[in-house]
Structures are given as structure tokens and as C-alpha cells.
Amino acid sequence: MKILAIGRNYANHAKELNNPVPAEPVVFSMPDSALLKSNKDFYYPDFSKDIHHEVEIVVKISRVGKNIPIEFAHRYYTEIGLGIDFTARDIQAECKKKGLPWEKAKAFDGAAPISKFITKDQFKDVNQMDFHLDINGKRVQTGNTANMIFSIDYLIAYLSQFFTLKIGDLIYTGTPEGVGPVKIGDHLEGALEGEQLLDFKVK
Ligand code: ZN
């Protein structure tokens, strides 16, 4: 399986990092070794001093597809989860300055905590889902999929032009504003439409 991820998919987050609002999706990928499942502890890596949280809606592909028309994109996923795209902001800044790829900053071991998945029929409207992240009981990020620059269906159609989507592939759909550093000892809790799905510690 592969993990595709979208950068700058919420206008207010692009602004907080002084990035332009993109005209087309910013795409990067992560290997499966980046996944951190079952609310296991996240171990702060030695190579960074500035790991940031980015809470994101994650879509699981349920059908093989290539060049998927946007009007059929909804048929290619049945489940949604909540994830975190941990980012070594110090390393990413270096990569950006040098015009290098982001993998070391975004795709390291454990960089992508992932919750259990929920069938999308359980949501009223996938284009209006609330989600949030709390750290040590304090709300740090809130988002709603209505504020995505590129909708879930748009992303599926767009990505499938470049990458054949396969069953089990995951799409991290981008983070809303409010990203910031985590530190050892922090307790992270994330919820999607009121259901708590992420609950783990930084060690
Ligand atoms: Zn992200």
C-alpha cells in the first residue's frame, strides 16, 4: 500500500506558514513504515528539535482506479479515519530552502499516526465533517472538511491521474490552521464528528 498526502489544503493553514494558496494540490508520499497504529506512543525522534502536529482527515481507498472522473470518485472509498501528519519543521525548512524533497521531514518512522476507520455512511455529509485535536486537554486545532481547498472527491480524481489508486491506499487530506510543536509527555486526543479516535502520548 502507499500513503499519499496533501499539503496546504486549507487556506488559513497555508497563510500561517506564509505559503501561497495553491492552484493545484501539493502532493507528497510516505512509506508504510511511517504509519503508527492502535494509538501507540509516538517517540520523539533524535534528528529534530521541532516536531509539529498536523491533524488530518484520512481516506482509505476501497477500489482500484486510474484517471477516475470526479463524479465517480465517491465510489472509490468507503471509510474515513483521523490521522496526524507529524512534521519535523526544522528539517522541512532546510529542505524547502534547498529546494529538496520533504520525505525526511514528513515520512520518517511513526510520522503518520492513524486511527481506526469509520464507514462513511455513518456521516451525514463527508464534505461537512468537524474534527479537532486537543493537547493535554487544550484544543489546538479545529477543522471542517467544508474548508478544504480541494475536496475529497477532487483529490481522488486528481491523484489518480498520476498514481493508480489501490485498495488500502491512504490519502492524508491536509491540515487546518493551528499547527504547532509537540513535546515529550504531551497527550494528544483527536476526534472526528464528536467521536474520539486518536488518544496517545509523545515519549
Ligand atoms: Zn500535512
Side-chain angles (χ1 to χ4, degrees), residues 162-182:
F162 303 94
F163 313 100
T164 298
L165 298 179
K166 295 188 175 178
I167 295 167
D169 286 352
L170 300 180
I171 303 172
Y172 278 65
T173 59
T175 196
E177 67 274 20
V179 303
V182 295

Side-chain angles (χ1 to χ4, degrees), residues 6-7 28 54 56 85 87 106 174-175:
I6 306 301
F28 59 97
E54 296 190 349
E56 310 198 355
D85 168 25
T87 304
K106 288 273 197 187
T175 196

Side-chain angles (χ1 to χ4, degrees), residues 70-121:
I70 189 164
E71 60 269 35
F72 297 136
H74 65 277
R75 298 184 188 170
Y76 288 79
Y77 73 103
T78 57
E79 291 181 307
I80 291 174
L82 197 62
I84 300 209
D85 168 25
F86 276 127
T87 304
R89 203 66 80 195
D90 43 357
I91 294 184
Q92 188 190 33
E94 239 173 76
C95 295
K96 278 185 178 172
K97 203 162 57 190
K98 296 180 185 159
L100 295 173
W102 293 354
E103 271 77 0
K104 282 199 299 182
K106 288 273 197 187
F108 54 86
D109 286 357
I114 184 67
S115 73
K116 67 171 181 175
F117 282 82
I118 294 178
T119 330
K120 70 175 176 190
D121 323 330

